[in-house]
Amino acid sequence: METLRKKEGFIIDMDGVIYHGNRLLPGVKEFVQWLMDNKKHFLFLTNSGQYTPRELQKKLERMGLDIDEKRFYTSALATAYFLDSQAPGCSAYVIGEHGVLNALYNKGITYNDVDPDYVVVGEASSYNLEQMTKAIRLVNAGAKLIGTNSDLTGPTETGIAPACRALISPIELATGKNAYFVGKPNPLMMRTGLRLLDVHSENAAMIGDRMDTDIIAGIETGLDTALVLSGVTAREDVANYPYRPRLILNGVGDIPG
């Protein structure tokens, strides 16, 4: 644990690590205070593309945490950056919340439900058969299929909910096309996170609740890794993976000591 505490920078997942829905998890306030008191570099790096950084900042503010908007980076922002770098001025049919719609708009990517360059799928509370059918037809017509992240499920206040990969799977199955996922563990998002953190990977740690995104992303990017059991992963689940985190913690409240 002492090795973790000595790290200069921390990349921290949000869902299942900081909160479940609108409920702050135990020990989070103490952990954030510890980060600030020790002048740590930290960045909240979330695979959820539902909200903008400003909205995430306000969400935590309502829970009693005062954190600068610049400390948030989402898979929606990463997706917009990726599409803009691949095809500036492109268009997309989007299934998702305003977080991804705003991110794409800010990069000059226009909404197009007729002949888009891309079909982009993120988390969507109102996901329906009509949207799915339209997406399938557009992908069959040549649009490239993009997922904001590869999470199958996500934690909520009342239990597990389907996430991006589960929502995009029917489109993949119906079209025979595999989606390209931009969020964790894609190194594109992790490298951007490290750049925003302004800390070398050897002096940084990844803290998350998912083995298949957070922990593998940290390992492959050369970060120290800590799995917290406050989200979707149980201790016995770790044995199902060919890799393991360096530390397994009950929650982020364990870190300050």
Side-chain angles (χ1 to χ4, degrees), residues 50-61:
Q50 292 176 276
Y51 304 110
T52 66
R54 178 68 170 165
E55 288 167 337
L56 290 171
Q57 187 254 341
K58 287 296 183 182
K59 178 174 182 173
L60 290 190
E61 186 178 275

Side-chain angles (χ1 to χ4, degrees), residues 126-149:
S126 59
Y127 189 65
N128 58 50
L129 181 62
E130 182 182 350
Q131 291 173 317
M132 186 195 309
T133 303
K134 183 180 286 288
I136 289 166
R137 290 171 180 166
L138 293 173
V139 171
N140 279 334
K144 300 173 184 67
L145 184 59
I146 302 291
T148 59
N149 65 81

Side-chain angles (χ1 to χ4, degrees), residues 86-131:
Q86 289 281 300
C90 64
S91 64
Y93 174 65
V94 185
I95 299 174
E97 305 289 348
H98 50 279
V100 66
L101 289 166
N102 284 1
L104 294 171
Y105 175 81
N106 288 338
K107 282 292 186 181
I109 298 165
T110 55
Y111 182 88
N112 180 350
D113 63 355
V114 178
D115 57 353
D117 301 295
Y118 296 94
V119 168
V120 176
V121 179
E123 285 84 10
S125 57
S126 59
Y127 189 65
N128 58 50
L129 181 62
E130 182 182 350
Q131 291 173 317

Side-chain angles (χ1 to χ4, degrees), residues 18-82:
I18 301 300
Y19 53 65
H20 283 173
N22 291 306
R23 177 172 60 86
L24 202 66
L25 289 169
V28 169
K29 288 186 178 180
E30 292 79 3
F31 172 59
V32 171
Q33 191 62 52
W34 176 83
L35 290 170
M36 293 179 173
D37 289 345
N38 289 276
K39 296 181 171 54
K40 300 293 187 182
H41 297 252
F42 64 96
L43 180 72
F44 291 110
L45 192 77
T46 175
N47 257 359
S48 173
Q50 292 176 276
Y51 304 110
T52 66
R54 178 68 170 165
E55 288 167 337
L56 290 171
Q57 187 254 341
K58 287 296 183 182
K59 178 174 182 173
L60 290 190
E61 186 178 275
R62 289 192 295 271
M63 297 180 187
L65 293 176
D66 185 15
I67 297 170
D68 193 288
E69 182 181 344
K70 294 178 181 178
R71 293 192 187 272
F72 298 90
Y73 191 68
T74 72
S75 66
L77 294 175
T79 299
Y81 176 85
F82 171 72

